[in-house]
């Protein structure tokens, strides 16, 4: 076991994959100079760990600022023998390449009757909550969940980031990786050597009996804190991180709700048509009779993101908002607790 | 570069064969749309055969192409057998894409056809990416993107040209300028000349003024192909041509957006008739050879229709396959 | 009252708006030749009703095939005095301009503190179910619902199309109009003269007591048929068409479910993260205690769209699938009916 | 076109004033980022003042501009007062965008600034659209889009240039070529020369080799502006310049991607020092005039910081305003 940061784990996974398979290349803006911190052991060229030194400019490629062509080129290269990792830096830039994601990456294998294989990973980071304003704060993964043919990972810890990214690079299908900048520095014990974590298997971060709390990406740590706080108040919270959104481990969530009878979902995306809406709808369809309270969604307000520190934070999920939601769905529970005290 | 006329006789005859295959296949497809055998619509390459075949024949086995909605000519030009193509247009299990693509989304990986795109210009960066993989893996192959004069106003073309130029990728950007994008005359929506756009992106921009002349097209593309193979990078080629039929079969536009004189000028320049005459005149073939070839291909096209019509429909569950490499069921697929 | 087709109503609304306000212009591919049937009384240039004849080429503009620039130009023109209507023909082409929709149309007013006004309408038609293959069959409105700042209309009848489109053209905010090609020929009595229908007000297409059936766009007619069929079997179905998805009239839906206790939602989009998921999640949050059965979604399978007629139809909602869903949520009801028979 | 040197003295002095305002504003903003007064990051135009002001001063009241992340110079160049700009950077209620935009998203409609864009190249078609509205409405105004050498590889630029050219719109595409896109040298990712890309789209492509010379920039833009106003259509101008500081404040890149000699070459060509000397040499101002001007602007910048720091934060509910024209609450906003 080694303690790694979330961003360090991503860099390590890329380094392992590059070393293991010469068909793996990294293309993106400013990847040579390691501007975003995942293409070098450190940021100094001289130092051991620098990807350009290790793998050369044939496999570590600085691109022009041309997201649509970058994504298209990676798809075309994947269809013809490479296994590219594309670093798109900010998730907010993905819109530039939307046609390539939807009409080429997601559709080609299907449209062409299985003739094409498209082993490519598109990495981007969600930079919300950092006063970067409306153009750099998006969390757009739900719009890609509605595009069949794409796989989507959204890791919330170092080991998940490392293990899922290796699985993504091994996959013969296009994978979108949505990473949380708020978690870049978060540390976790990561098993030594190479390992993979399968897609479609949720991680139960915490077992509990009274309410199921599904948390996505950057919302997982605050969900854990909220769970601890409620524990102290006599409410046992089960925290589940789906880790991948496509495929989505609905069975694990439904199983948990069958046990707890209550569900709160917290995610960084806008509330409207988000992953929480999908999860809520699935649970109502499949676990209705087990439900003992309304399902609560804690998500980002349906607003654009303002720049001012005086304005931004209030739009996002917080531990307090999660606690409030749990209090609502566990009202009877809490009353009975109060009575027993 | 020697002219295409120095190619082996058999190659020159194969060029005529491929043009004829495109012509007769598309004429048949048109009829089958009218008869209701082919659902949706098709876009024929009738009139543009020299532009298509001249380009494809300048490639070799292993090279890759991508195309657009005017889609049948490209795989046929690369040598794709007709039966599975026609079966695809009809939507049969024996279709080259199992009936899941249809006319607009033909692909035949066996001949290097990576896929036609119903979305204008969307397949251009795919071809560029095929050039990237060749360069990174050190494989001796090139890639060509076919697109129209209308698609030439999509920004992704210039992003792709720029990246291919900066990275010296073995790519050919081939613009099929048939003077119209659907009902829109190219000159009314295009600033400058498409071929002039190569220079600013660091590559040759060649215009083939007579795209009805197969050898003229071949020579231009062969030169670009040699440049690509030698590591000098991409080229942009604009081939001036004309579609003899409406934009798509079944489409009726009640405004005369193409004037009669222009139509007359171009239709009198049938690429197949021109090349046929040249082959005979230069002694590569006799009238009888040509008649035999035409009869043979007419028979092939009859056979491909028969194959398509007699093939079974795909089984319903096929609709739920090929979305991903492993077959796992997405929640709520049904 | 005049009987109009759905597509005729759209053309009529555009003609009225163009005549009423010289700042209204129509830009799009092949609008001059009226290729898509909404910019001319008929398709012959000579004939009365042709928009180019009436309004001239300064206001009816054929564009290059450059969706990103078309959409951006319309936004910029709207910010500086025009009120453009953009005809994007197929909804499947919207991805080309995704950045302009999300980062400019939806954000500019907000980011710039209210300085900009963006009166522009983006029309596109959903062509699914016509064997046009995966590149021309998308129904992507849910991904835009998650983008705050856009308004979204999805009319299901001639009068709604006409009245909502006039409201859209009057709006100082960007509006996306998703039209259903399957409804182009459908006829309805439309009130004479100019009229507007407000956004955010659902239309109750049919009153009922036992189950609420929310139907969107092309799914409304089959929902009505399913309702009639169930009526005959003793189940009274209330059919609600939201008509606009942003703003969404959740109050009308919640009110209805409070009455019926049951909900089925039918829409043409993919099931994953669709409008049905959002509606289901809202109802579970706000009408949980009134719910007497699971909420059922009838949507398009999470698959890309195959070309073959032998494959395509099975992916979409049908009257039969709606009936089956109603049978599930009204099981007890139907049993009691059977008993009484 | 007469050279900018024939402009009235007051105009020439105003040019120097605006360059100084940009320089001192950006130097102050840089300090305020370090001190933590300005959240997020800022991109300074230090070193590029001649390129910005030379372009802006060739416009007149009513003209429109759009810009990019290197955003302060553009509104200041158009004459925007400094207080509300600095307040915006700090995120205050008195900010030009009520604190909702921040450095990357400045806009000041009072001076024709339609908005800077944090998304590279995304604002280019917006400017083109402003040209479209001018043409359709018959209003005598033009629009200019500022973008960098990196943004020049985004396809939307070419779509916008093509449409502006086909429709002869009064638009200027102004490329600020400071030789780098973040850490990426322009020549490593750019095929050909950006200014050479104008021709293929039917418009002049002018390169201003010495973008540190304000009058050289002014003359090129004034010529393009005259062309636009006279209905002849758009122009592409590439101004060669250099940013004296890192890509953005606070960013640390541990690879030396700019070599020392190059840095030295350019920083020795400070546009403000150059124009200052020229103004004195040509007798438009004395050393004392310049000192007074510099003192005045230093005072203005002190005042704008004071204004920003002393202004109140926006009220929380402001975050829920301005999404739409009418204030209706979306379901589930909170
Ligand atoms: C992104 C996109 N926009 C619009 C269309 C609709 N469309 C299909 S073909 C066509 C005209 C294409 O013209 P061109 O590229 O010249 O090819 P041609 O049909 O002339 O061969 C248009 C506008 C589309 N398929 N994709
Ligand atoms: C679509 C998009 N891609 C990438 C970025 C990240 N980014 C911000 S500035 C920048 C470099 C821009 O270079 P250039 O256009 O030359 O402007 P400069 O910073 O040199 O003035 C990059 C890559 C972005 N903001 N938007
Ligand atoms: Mg054409
Ligand atoms: Mg630059």
């Amino acid at each position: 076991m080694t303690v790694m940061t979330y961003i360090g784990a991503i860099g390590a996974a890329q380094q392992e994959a590059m070393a293991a398979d010469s068909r793996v290349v990294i293309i993106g803006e400013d990847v040579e100079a390691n501007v975003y911190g995942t293409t070098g052991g450190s940021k100094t060229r001289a130092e051991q760990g620098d990807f350009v030194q290790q793998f050369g400019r044939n496999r570590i490629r600085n691109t022009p600022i041309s997201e649509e062509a970058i994504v298209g080129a990676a798809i075309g290269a994947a269809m013809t023998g490479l296994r590219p990792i594309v670093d798109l830096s900010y998730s907010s830039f993905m819109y530039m390449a939307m046609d390539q994601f939807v009409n080429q990456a997601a559709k080609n294998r299907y449209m062409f009757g299985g003739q094409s294989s498209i082993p490519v990973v598109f990495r981007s980071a969600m930079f919300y909550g950092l006063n970067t304003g409306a153009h750099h704060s998006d969390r757009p993964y739900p719009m890609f969940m509605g595009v069949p043919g794409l796989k989507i990972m959204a890791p919330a810890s170092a080991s998940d980031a490392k293990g899922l990214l290796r699985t993504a690079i091994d996959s013969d299908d296009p994978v979108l990786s949505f990473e949380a900048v708020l978690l870049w520095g978060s540390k976790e014990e990561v098993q030594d050597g190479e390992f993979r974590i399968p897609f479609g298997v949720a991680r139960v971060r915490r077992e509990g009996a009274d309410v199921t709390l599904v948390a996505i990406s950057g919302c997982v740590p605050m969900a854990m804190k909220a769970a601890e706080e409620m524990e102290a108040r006599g409410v046992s919270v089960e925290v589940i991180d789906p880790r991948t959104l496509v495929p989505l481990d609905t069975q694990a969530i439904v199983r948990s709700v069958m046990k707890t009878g209550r569900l709160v979902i917290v995610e960084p995306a806008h509330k409207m048509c988000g992953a929480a809406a999908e999860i809520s709808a699935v649970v109502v369809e499949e676990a209705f009779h087990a439900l003992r309270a309304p399902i609560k969604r804690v998500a980002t307000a349906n607003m654009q993101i303002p720049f001012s520190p005086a304005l931004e934070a209030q739009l996002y999920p917080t531990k307090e908002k999660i606690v409030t939601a749990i209090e609502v769905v566990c009202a009877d529970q809490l009353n009975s607790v109060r009575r027993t005290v | 570069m020697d002219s295409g006329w120095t190619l082996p006789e058999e190659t020159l005859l194969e060029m005529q064969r491929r043009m004829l295959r495109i012509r007769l296949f598309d004429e048949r497809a048109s009829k089958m749309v009218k008869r209701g055998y082919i659902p949706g619509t098709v876009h024929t390459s009738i009139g543009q055969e020299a532009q298509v075949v001249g380009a494809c024949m300048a490639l070799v086995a292993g090279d890759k192409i991508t195309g657009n909605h005017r889609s049948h000519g490209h795989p046929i030009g690369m040598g794709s057998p007709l039966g599975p193509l026609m079966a695809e247009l009809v939507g049969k299990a024996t279709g080259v894409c199992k009936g899941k693509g249809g006319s607009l989304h033909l692909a035949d990986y066996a001949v290097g056809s990576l896929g036609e795109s119903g979305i204008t210009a969307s397949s251009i960066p795919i071809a560029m990416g095929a050039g990237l993989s060749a360069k990174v893996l050190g494989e001796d192959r090139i890639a060509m993107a076919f697109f129209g004069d209308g698609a030439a106003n999509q920004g992704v073309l210039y992003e792709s040209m720029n990246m291919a130029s900066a990275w010296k990728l073995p790519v050919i950007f081939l613009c099929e300028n048939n003077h119209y994008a659907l009902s829109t005359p190219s000159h009314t929506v295009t600033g400058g000349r498409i071929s002039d756009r190569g220079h600013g992106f660091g590559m040759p921009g060649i215009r083939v003024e007579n795209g009805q002349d197969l050898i003229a097209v071949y020579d231009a593309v062969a030169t670009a192909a040699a440049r690509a193979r030698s590591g000098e990078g991409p080229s942009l080629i604009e081939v001036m041509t004309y579609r003899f039929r409406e934009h798509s079969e079944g489409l009726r536009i009640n405004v005369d957006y193409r004037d009669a004189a222009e139509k007359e000028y171009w239709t009198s320049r049938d690429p197949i008739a021109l090349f046929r005459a040249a082959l005979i005149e230069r002694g590569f073939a006799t009238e009888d050879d040509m008649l035999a070839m035409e009869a043979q291909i007419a028979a092939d096209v009859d056979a491909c229709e028969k194959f398509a019509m007699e093939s079974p429909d795909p089984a319903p569950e096929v609709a739920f396959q090929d979305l991903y490499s492993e077959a796992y069921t997405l929640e709520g697929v049904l």
Side-chain angles (χ1 to χ4, degrees), chain A, chain B:
Chain A
M1 289 292 201
T2 338
V3 174
M4 278 191 186
T5 60
Y6 181 93
I7 191 169
I10 291 165
Q14 294 196 138
Q15 190 161 27
E16 286 174 5
M18 295 277 300
D21 185 343
S22 62
R23 298 169 303 170
V24 177
V25 299
I26 295 178
I27 71 174
E29 293 154 20
D30 304 293
V31 293
E32 283 187 22
N34 189 27
V35 168
Y36 297 99
T38 62
T39 52
S42 99
K43 280 188 165 188
T44 49
R45 174 63 38 90
E47 243 179 75
Q48 205 278 344
D50 176 78
F51 280 29
V52 173
Q53 299 272 309
Q54 287 177 77
F55 305 113
R57 286 200 162 74
N58 191 38
R59 293 177 63 198
I60 303 294
R61 291 184 169 259
N62 264 8
T63 63
I65 308 176
S66 309
E67 284 78 11
E68 194 172 5
I70 292 166
V71 171
I75 296 164
M79 288 162 64
T80 52
L82 285 182
R83 306 187 72 86
I85 301 170
V86 179
D87 186 338
L88 290 160
S89 64
Y90 287 67
S91 303
S92 299
F93 308 154
M94 297 176 77
Y95 308 115
M96 314 294 287
M98 200 69 187
D99 173 65
Q100 291 297 315
F101 286 122
V102 177
N103 283 320
Q104 300 292 330
K107 293 177 181 176
N108 281 357
R109 175 186 291 271
Y110 187 85
M111 281 198 309
F112 303 142
Q115 291 183 87
S116 25
S117 184
I118 311 171
V120 54
V121 180
F122 298 101
R123 293 183 42 236
S124 71
M126 302 186 286
F127 275 75
Y128 64 99
L130 302 163
N131 308 118
T132 51
H135 275 176
H136 287 75
S137 304
D138 283 3
R139 298 126 280 117
Y141 57 85
M143 56 168 74
F144 295 93
M145 291 174 70
V147 181
L150 303 175
K151 292 177 178 174
I152 301 177
M153 58 180 268
S157 82
S159 62
D160 288 346
K162 187 165 188 284
L164 290 169
L165 186 52
R166 287 309 300 279
T167 303
I169 296 167
D170 290 346
S171 166
D172 284 333
D173 303 306
V175 176
L176 306 186
S177 176
F178 288 90
E179 298 155 13
V181 172
L182 293 173
L183 300 177
W184 270 357
S186 69
K187 295 197 172 72
E188 188 180 36
E189 287 237 314
V190 175
Q191 73 185 75
D192 298 320
E194 305 190 18
F195 65 96
R196 274 100 174 145
I197 294 173
F199 276 36
V201 181
R203 175 176 174 183
V204 178
R205 298 287 301 244
R206 192 176 194 291
E207 302 219 332
D210 302 327
V211 55
T212 302
L213 176 57
V214 173
I216 293 168
S217 184
C219 293
V220 170
M222 65 182 76
M224 294 298 283
K225 288 208 185 63
E228 282 155 32
E229 180 173 326
M230 294 312 293
E231 187 75 59
R233 294 170 56 187
V235 177
S236 158
V237 182
E238 179 146 296
V239 179
I240 297 181
D241 172 4
R243 300 195 293 191
T244 63
L245 300 170
V246 180
L248 181 62
D249 188 355
T250 52
Q251 277 150 25
I253 296 166
V254 167
R255 217 180 302 116
S256 176
V257 175
M258 289 290 193
K259 175 177 72 178
T260 63
R262 298 181 181 81
L263 176 62
V264 171
I265 311 157
V266 53
E267 71 169 327
H270 288 129
K271 188 173 187 180
M272 177 85 80
C273 290
E278 176 65 24
I279 292 168
S280 172
V282 168
V283 168
V284 171
E285 240 160 319
E286 301 184 11
F288 178 75
H289 298 292
L291 275 177
R292 283 180 280 161
I295 295 170
K296 281 274 166 202
R297 290 181 287 167
V298 181
T300 298
N302 293 325
M303 271 290 145
Q304 290 300 343
I305 304 301
F307 162 73
S308 178
L311 301 176
E312 184 180 8
Q314 65 183 325
L315 299 187
Y316 302 119
T318 58
K319 187 198 75 180
E320 292 63 35
K321 291 179 187 175
I322 299 170
V323 165
T324 307
I326 296 175
E327 285 170 346
V328 172
V329 302
C330 296
D332 47 4
Q333 181 82 4
L334 284 159
N335 297 337
S336 64
V337 173
R338 240 175 253 110
R339 271 194 301 284
T340 60
V341 178
Chain B
M1 283 301 306
D2 293 357
S3 151
W5 283 118
T6 64
L7 289 166
E9 173 177 309
E10 174 45 33
T11 308
L12 293 169
L13 294 176
E14 179 61 19
M15 289 172 160
Q16 180 72 349
R17 254 183 235 114
R18 292 192 187 186
M19 288 204 290
L20 279 163
R21 279 199 201 98
I22 294 170
R23 173 70 54 95
L24 298 186
F25 181 93
D26 272 351
E27 285 176 348
R28 184 62 56 94
S30 165
K31 283 207 188 62
M32 291 170 70
V33 168
K34 265 187 223 65
R35 298 209 190 99
Y37 299 155
I38 294 175
T41 184
V42 307
H43 305 75
T44 75
S45 297
I46 293 172
Q48 303 183 207
E49 294 90 348
Q51 163 258 304
V52 173
V53 174
C56 290
M57 292 295 285
L59 302 185
V60 302
D63 292 342
K64 312 291 183 196
I65 65 158
T66 64
N68 63 358
H69 57 282
R70 199 163 302 288
S71 50
H72 314 155
H74 305 136
I76 296 173
M78 293 296 283
S80 201
L82 302 183
L85 293 178
M86 189 61 85
E88 188 61 36
L89 268 56
V90 179
K92 295 301 188 76
T94 55
V96 68
C97 301
K98 303 180 185 171
K100 297 167 80 162
S103 167
L104 270 69
H105 310 117
L106 296 177
D108 185 353
Y109 282 42
V111 298
S113 158
L114 295 179
E116 305 290 309
S117 174
I119 301 294
T120 305
S122 185
S123 61
I124 294 171
I126 303 298
M128 191 262 290
L132 173 61
S133 66
K135 173 122 184 178
V136 172
L137 297 169
E139 294 177 5
D140 175 23
R141 54 177 167 83
I142 72 174
M144 179 158 60
F146 286 102
F147 55 91
D149 51 285
N153 289 325
Q154 291 281 29
V156 72
L157 169 61
Y158 302 98
E159 293 188 4
S160 301
M161 281 168 53
N162 179 68
M163 201 177 295
S165 180
W167 287 351
K168 295 218 170 309
L169 303 181
V171 181
I172 299 171
F173 298 93
L174 196 130
C175 180
E176 310 177 317
N177 188 338
N178 59 10
H179 297 76
Y180 293 84
L182 222 160
S183 71
T184 305
S186 181
H187 68 87
T188 63
V189 291
T190 306
R193 274 163 47 128
I194 292 164
S195 53
D196 289 343
R197 296 175 179 183
H199 174 64
F201 293 88
M203 70 183 73
I206 288 93
R207 179 185 250 202
V208 178
E209 294 294 348
N210 182 5
Q212 306 310 83
D213 174 350
L214 185 148
I215 296 299
V217 177
Y218 174 88
D219 290 348
V221 178
T223 305
R227 175 180 150 85
R229 283 185 214 288
S230 67
E232 292 165 73
S235 301
L236 170 66
I237 299 175
E238 176 184 23
V239 181
M240 307 309 289
T241 182
Y242 205 74
R243 58 168 159 78
F244 288 1
R245 299 184 53 82
E246 183 48 282
H247 170 73
S248 60
E249 298 307 298
L251 176 65
R252 237 167 309 300
I253 298 174
N254 299 333
V255 177
D256 296 330
Y257 60 92
R258 303 201 294 184
D259 86 22
E262 177 194 77
K263 252 193 203 147
E264 163 51 28
Y265 172 89
W266 282 96
T267 47
S268 70
R269 283 158 180 71
D270 184 320
I272 296 178
L274 290 169
F275 196 59
R276 185 187 201 273
L279 285 172
I280 292 172
E281 187 195 316
R282 289 167 178 264
F284 290 106
T286 64
E287 176 69 23
D288 289 350
D289 296 335
M290 290 292 102
L291 291 171
M293 181 188 284
E294 285 146 14
Q296 176 57 54
I297 289 167
D300 295 346
V301 168
D302 288 337
C304 88
E305 172 174 2
K306 191 164 186 299
F307 173 79
M309 296 309 293
E310 291 176 357
S311 291
D313 281 337
E317 61 270 22
V318 170
F320 300 96
Q321 300 164 358
D322 301 317
L323 185 64
Y324 295 97
S325 49
E326 323 99 28
Y328 63 74
T329 42
L330 279 174
E331 286 310 317
V333 154
L334 283 165

